[in-house]
């Protein structure tokens, strides 16, 4: 598969962009005229730089306001085209993108436009060049690819073809099925962009909010399936106008772009196995079976704080590492690890962020395959030295520089607790403390708002996982955006919280913990009322919820008085979905820079996270913040 990207998608100077694009693994670039004009050198020099990076110029763009012009504008449009052809010859590219006319003086008419393109095709052919015609979603007369295709069909010229751009088609919610009947050799180029579904002016939406395929809400895979069903196996190119990308690091954006294309083509080939498109060679998406452990980096005092907390939550000290200063605490299928080893990744994480989550272990179907796939997607691998008797467990870099380990039952990594840890004698007090917590229900990671789409792509391209709907959570200090990533069988759920303001609780956490990602861990209980009682006798301090919340709850859901009292007495939050599924939540107080635990119970297939309750929880936490504990 020939992967390309428009220079306009990235920030920086032309050479910054080209370096990042080439390093990420693209084969070609679309040169945007504005980028070319800002470039300090001749077209020939630019062409040579691109080729020195081992890439081609896949096209030159855009050429505007060409077709359907009355005289004298028509003659001038052809003259302008000839000058662009001169530039293209020097650059060393044979394809120009013509977008449908926006000009008020243009007169429209399918046959007139076809005649103009046919004549331009003759002029291009004389110079060995080709012309690709794209319907802009906001074109004056032509704004639908079915019309631009009719024009190209009637132009009937071998040097004139159609350019299909997913954004222009999907933003207008056009049916993609008719693409399947365009002959492949008439499709000269395919441009891809996704976008969040926002109801706004098309042009503004396009210029500012496009993002990578898989980062937005558009059916880009369906679009691309229709394209490859024609037999098309030519270039696929990202053309992404996005304010955050233009303000971001070119290198990161280029890596994300390549990841999105590789993932998309993989999905498309799986759905259209008979198509000619050559898929990336990599294993299928990893299946997440559960979160095997969460590891905290700590010093002695941090460990003492965590130990108190784990005990009140009902955890038992289950094992000590054979060689390292690492302990595991267990309850049900939950393993919490405290790592004080120096030197180690955990220690450097501690130095940077204080007591915090530094490592997450995910149980997958095949850890080696997961690593191979992650590598093909340009994910950074992580490794550190292992001592005698220790397992080599593969790992990658995740959110906020933390580590994601892959364990499986295919190898002995699933037995890490038996192999790397000495079990501790069970004492009776441990059993009495057990609160019946079964497994990790979800992990909540906090990140910058501008990074959410990128991490969503990270998770959904490596794992067989889906993104849930986006929620806005109102924090008194500003807005927090929240979106869940869920493994297909629901065994692993990660909620991502995007923050802009340091005044929000999540924003404060992100700032004070130097980008540490995991802000809360939610444990699943089968009986939250029993759990609440046990936690209370363990000395666990529950987050106190405002009494007004319960009056409102009673009225809102028509709860019977007994249940309302039970919720109130235990400081539980409650939610109910339209199918009668119920959700119960209990929170710890906040620790350190805003870390906390949650206990939840799901009944009747409730699939959400109590988004309605988040503002209540945040208000309660903020009230407490001044008197809160502090991790050392
Ligand atoms: Mg385009
Ligand atoms: Mg939660």
């Amino acid at each position: 598969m020939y992967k390309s990207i428009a220079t306009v998608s990235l920030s920086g100077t032309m050479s910054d962009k080209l370096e990042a694009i080439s390093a990420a693994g693209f084969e070609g670039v679309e040169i945007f005229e504005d980028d070319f004009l800002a470039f300090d050198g001749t077209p020939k020099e630019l062409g040579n730089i691109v080729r020195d990076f081992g890439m081609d110029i896949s096209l030159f763009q855009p050429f505007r306001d060409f077709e359907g012009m009355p005289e004298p504008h028509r003659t001038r449009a052809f003259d302008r085209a000839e000058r662009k052809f001169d530039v293209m010859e020097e650059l060393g590219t044979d394809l120009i993108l013509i977008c449908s006319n926006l000009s008020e003086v243009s007169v429209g008419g399918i046959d007139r436009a076809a005649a103009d393109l046919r004549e331009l095709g003759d002029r291009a052919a004389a110079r060995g060049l080709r012309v690709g015609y794209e319907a802009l979603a906001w074109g004056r007369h032509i704004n639908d690819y079915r019309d631009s295709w009719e024009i190209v069909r009637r132009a009937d010229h071998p040097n004139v073809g159609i350019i299909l751009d997913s954004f222009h088609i999907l933003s207008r919610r056009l049916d993609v099925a008719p693409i399947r009947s365009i002959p492949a050799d008439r499709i000269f180029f395919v441009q891809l962009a996704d976008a969040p579904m926002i109801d706004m002016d098309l042009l503004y939406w396009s210029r500012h909010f496009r993002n990578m395929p898989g980062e937005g809400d558009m059916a880009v895979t369906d679009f691309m399936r229709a394209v490859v069903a024609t037999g098309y196996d030519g270039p696929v190119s990202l053309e992404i106008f996005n304010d955050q990308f233009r303000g971001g690091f070119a290198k990161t954006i280029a890596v994300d772009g390549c990841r999105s294309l590789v993932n998309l083509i993989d999905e498309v080939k799986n759905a259209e196995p008979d198509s000619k498109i050559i898929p990336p060679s990599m294993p299928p998406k990893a299946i997440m079976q559960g979160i095997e452990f969460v590891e905290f980096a700590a010093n002695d005092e941090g460990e003492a704080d965590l130990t108190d907390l784990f005990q009140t939550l009902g955890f038992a000290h289950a094992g000590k590492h054979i060689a390292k200063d690492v302990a595991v605490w267990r309850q049900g299928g939950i393993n919490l690890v405290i790592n004080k080893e120096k030197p180690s990744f955990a220690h450097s994480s501690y130095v940077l962020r204080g007591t915090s989550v530094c490592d997450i272990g995910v149980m997958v179907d095949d850890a080696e395959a997961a690593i191979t796939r992650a590598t093909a997607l340009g994910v950074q691998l992580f490794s550190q030295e292992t001592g005698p008797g220790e397992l080599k467990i593969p790992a990658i870099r995740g959110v906020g520089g933390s580590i994601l380990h892959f364990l499986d039952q295919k190898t002995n990594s699933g037995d890490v607790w038996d192999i790397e840890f000495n079990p501790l004698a069970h004492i009776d007090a441990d059993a009495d403390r057990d609160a019946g917590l079964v497994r990790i229900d979800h992990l909540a990671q906090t990140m910058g708002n501008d990074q959410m789409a990128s991490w969503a792509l990270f998770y959904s391209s490596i794992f067989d996982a889906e993104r849930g709907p986006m929620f806005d959570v109102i924090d008194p200090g500003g807005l927090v955006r929240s979106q869940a990533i869920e493994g297909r069988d629901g065994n692993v759920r990660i909620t991502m919280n995007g923050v802009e303001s340091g005044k929000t609780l999540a924003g404060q956490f992100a700032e004070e913990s130097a980008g540490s990602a995991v802000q809360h861990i939610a444990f699943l209980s089968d009986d939250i009322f029993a759990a609440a009682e046990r936690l209370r006798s363990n000395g666990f301090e529950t987050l106190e919820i405002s009494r007004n919340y319960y009056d409102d709850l009673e009225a809102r859901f028509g709860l019977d008085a007994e249940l309302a009292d039970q919720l109130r007495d235990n400081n539980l939050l409650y939610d109910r979905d339209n199918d009668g599924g119920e959700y119960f939540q209990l929170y710890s107080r906040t620790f350190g820079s805003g870390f906390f635990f949650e206990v939840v119970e799901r009944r009747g297939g409730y699939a959400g996270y109590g988004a309605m309750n988040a503002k209540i929880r945040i208000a309660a936490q903020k009230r407490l913040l001044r008197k809160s504990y502090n991790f050392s």
Side-chain angles (χ1 to χ4, degrees), residues 496-515:
M496 303 187 302
N497 295 301
V499 294
E500 227 154 73
S501 157
K503 281 185 281 182
T504 61
L505 199 73
Q508 235 158 12
F509 173 80
E511 258 173 36
E512 289 177 23
S513 54

Side-chain angles (χ1 to χ4, degrees), residues 442 520 587 598:
H442 62 274
H520 82 261
Y587 285 102
E598 179 183 8

Side-chain angles (χ1 to χ4, degrees), residues 441-444 495 520-522 583 585 587 596 598 600 609-610 617:
D441 183 85
H442 62 274
L443 293 178
T495 58
H520 82 261
I521 303 175
Y583 193 55
Q585 303 167 273
Y587 285 102
F596 56 96
E598 179 183 8
V600 304
Y609 300 87
R617 182 258 301 164

Side-chain angles (χ1 to χ4, degrees), residues 74 78 110-120 151 154-155:
R74 184 174 187 276
F78 276 93
I110 295 266
D111 284 321
R112 180 191 298 264
D116 288 344
L117 278 172
R118 189 180 314 122
E119 184 175 337
L120 192 65
I151 289 171
R154 293 189 189 200

Side-chain angles (χ1 to χ4, degrees), residues 108-165:
I110 295 266
D111 284 321
R112 180 191 298 264
D116 288 344
L117 278 172
R118 189 180 314 122
E119 184 175 337
L120 192 65
D122 282 341
R123 296 198 192 197
R127 303 169 71 156
L129 304 177
R130 297 180 302 144
V131 170
Y133 182 54
E134 173 194 68
L136 294 178
W138 50 89
R140 189 167 182 83
H141 304 287
I142 302 299
N143 44 41
D144 183 323
Y145 77 94
R146 291 165 294 196
D147 293 333
S148 58
W149 163 235
E150 185 57 20
I151 289 171
V152 167
R153 199 181 67 80
R154 293 189 189 200
D156 191 23
H157 196 291
N159 292 57
V160 177
I162 189 170
I163 291 181
L164 295 170
D165 180 320

Side-chain angles (χ1 to χ4, degrees), residues 526-529 577 580-584 601-606:
D526 290 337
D527 181 349
I528 198 161
F529 294 103
D577 64 26
E582 295 179 296
Y583 193 55
F584 299 82
E601 183 184 346
R602 297 175 182 274
R603 288 187 196 164
Y606 181 94

